[in-house]
């Protein structure tokens, strides 16, 4: 039998290696992260013009829209200020670094945040400052009575799972008469938080108190005007134990604000979300389930507020 000639050999189908599309998507994500980071200190239009090859990748991925001949970021990524651009970039960078750790051979699976290196913890924490600013600027003003509460001298905010205290600091800056208490179970992350606050060196940083405490062990009664709870970072059992204590820690009429993951819109993102939750020691609650859970704990006036595209949905409720 004669050997096939090159012209008789079927060309490989793009479907023979679907990982090629995934690899290209990884580069597109890297381009988005770098562009958002640059846009933290420069006009987005200038950033896109300065790196046409990178901008071409964004456009091919559908992340660019054209206004005439001029490229512009998709509306989902047109953030209101440089700090929010930076926060959005850092959040995606943290996730990408965790994925890289898995690809490089970290098969551990269930170590959670304790297994992350300091750089990942700091990046994730600093990204949370954007959520703090969103709470202060867009959420507090529309929740009945909360702005007045937090404007009063001696008002108190509890930041559960404070991490590196970036969100706690953002709230302290936004509410100059409030004391912010940040609690976490990891001593290592609290050490990072203490250094971050010391480096900030501001009056607001001096109003942030850090404690090594499990939210499930809180004993304070009617102590806080607002509580922030980043629900995805708690294991399901820990979350179930903490919610009754947090409810009791609210002052009458005070609000709890819970960060949640919105329901994933497709099978791949649902599968990835489940994997990330297990790896990071979290839970599979989504926005709708958390809303029902708060109601079951006797809280009322529950509402849902999206933050940045792809970011958490804030679920709020208040104590009678």
């Amino acid at each position: 039998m004669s050997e096939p000639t090159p012209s008789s050999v079927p060309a490989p189908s793009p479907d023979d290696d679907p990982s090629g599309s995934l690899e290209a998507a990884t580069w597109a994500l890297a381009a988005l992260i770098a562009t958002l980071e640059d846009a933290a200190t420069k006009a987005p239009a200038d950033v896109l013009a300065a790196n046409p090859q990178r901008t071409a990748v964004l456009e091919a991925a559908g992340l660019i829209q054209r206004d005439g001949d001029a490229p512009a970021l998709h509306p989902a990524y047109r953030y209101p200020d440089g700090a929010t651009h930076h926060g959005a970039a850092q959040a995606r960078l943290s996730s990408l670094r965790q994925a890289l750790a898995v690809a490089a051979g970290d098969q551990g699976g269930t170590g959670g945040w304790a297994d992350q290196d300091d750089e990942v913890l700091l990046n994730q924490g600093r990204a949370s400052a954007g959520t703090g600013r969103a709470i202060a600027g867009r959420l507090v003003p529309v929740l009945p009575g909360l702005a007045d509460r937090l404007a009063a001298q001696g008002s108190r905010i509890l930041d559960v799972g404070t991490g590196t205290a970036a969100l706690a600091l953002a709230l302290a800056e936004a509410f100059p008469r409030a004391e912010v208490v940040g609690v976490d179970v990891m001593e290592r992350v609290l050490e990072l938080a203490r250094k971050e606050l010391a480096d900030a060196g501001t009056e607001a940083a001096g109003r942030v108190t850090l404690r090594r405490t499990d939210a499930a062990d809180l004993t304070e009664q009617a102590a806080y005007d607002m509580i922030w709870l980043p629900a995805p970072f708690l294991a399901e059992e820990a979350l179930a134990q903490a919610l009754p204590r947090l409810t009791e820690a609210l002052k009458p009429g005070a609000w709890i604000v819970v960060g949640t993951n919105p329901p994933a819109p497709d099978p791949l993102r649902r599968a990835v979300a489940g994997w990330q939750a297990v790896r990071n020691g979290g839970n599979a609650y989504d926005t709708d389930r958390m809303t029902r859970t708060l109601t079951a704990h006797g809280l009322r006036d529950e509402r849902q507020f999206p933050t940045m595209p792809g970011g958490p949905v804030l679920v709020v409720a208040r104590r009678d």
Side-chain angles (χ1 to χ4, degrees):
M1 180 180 292
S2 62
E3 292 293 322
T5 64
S7 61
S8 68
V9 177
S13 165
D15 292 336
D16 289 345
D17 183 11
S19 68
S21 295
L22 295 176
E23 184 176 349
T26 302
W27 279 92
L29 177 59
L32 176 63
I33 292 169
T35 299
L36 292 176
E37 190 60 62
D38 288 348
T41 55
K42 304 172 186 175
D46 293 341
V47 171
L48 295 176
N51 197 326
Q53 289 78 24
R54 189 174 73 187
T55 298
V57 171
L58 295 176
E59 186 164 17
L63 304 179
I64 290 288
Q65 294 183 341
R66 289 274 171 182
D67 183 7
D69 291 333
L73 279 171
H74 187 283
Y77 308 110
R78 296 175 195 171
Y79 299 118
D81 51 49
T84 310
H85 277 92
H86 174 70
Q90 290 301 308
R92 289 170 173 82
L93 182 60
S94 178
S95 179
L96 189 58
R97 282 184 168 134
Q98 291 178 62
L100 180 60
V102 173
D106 174 11
Q107 305 297 325
T110 59
W113 289 104
D115 286 345
Q116 305 299 332
D117 62 30
D118 287 357
E119 186 175 21
V120 169
L121 294 173
L122 286 167
N123 283 332
Q124 188 72 29
R126 289 166 182 163
S128 72
T131 301
R133 288 188 288 269
I135 292 170
R138 301 204 297 272
L139 189 64
V140 169
V142 301
L143 295 179
L146 186 53
D148 289 340
R149 283 176 173 272
L150 296 180
Q153 191 67 40
S155 55
R156 301 182 79 215
I157 300 170
L158 178 65
D159 175 20
V160 176
T162 193
T164 59
L167 185 143
L169 180 58
L171 292 176
E173 290 170 342
F175 304 108
R177 295 185 176 180
E179 174 195 354
V180 182
V181 178
V183 299
D184 208 295
V185 296
M186 290 174 55
E187 182 58 34
R188 178 166 70 94
V189 79
L190 288 172
E191 285 297 324
L192 294 174
R194 293 183 187 106
K195 185 176 186 304
E196 291 286 281
L197 292 174
D199 289 347
T202 61
E203 183 276 337
R207 285 185 285 105
V208 178
T209 302
L210 300 175
R211 300 197 323 232
R212 185 177 182 182
T213 304
D214 191 321
D217 296 330
L218 284 174
T219 59
E220 294 165 290
Q221 301 285 316
Y224 295 99
D225 298 281
M226 184 176 76
I227 293 177
W228 161 250
L229 173 64
F233 297 101
L234 277 70
E236 188 156 337
E237 182 179 355
L239 184 62
Q241 293 174 348
L243 281 170
R245 300 297 182 94
L246 295 174
T247 299
E248 293 171 359
L250 287 167
K251 296 177 182 178
W255 292 86
I256 187 169
V257 181
V258 185
T260 69
N261 292 324
D266 59 70
L268 176 58
R269 278 184 276 188
R270 282 196 294 274
V272 169
W275 188 20
Q276 287 179 321
V278 170
R279 281 187 52 82
N280 292 333
N283 63 79
Y285 277 60
D286 63 21
T287 299
D288 294 337
R289 183 179 177 189
M290 178 54 65
T291 302
R292 294 192 300 270
T293 300
L294 294 180
T295 301
H297 281 81
L299 300 173
R300 62 185 180 88
D301 290 350
E302 65 279 0
R303 312 175 191 194
Q304 297 180 5
F305 295 87
T307 56
M308 64 184 67
V313 175
L314 306 182
V315 178
V316 303
R318 65 173 167 175
R319 184 179 182 181
D320 282 329

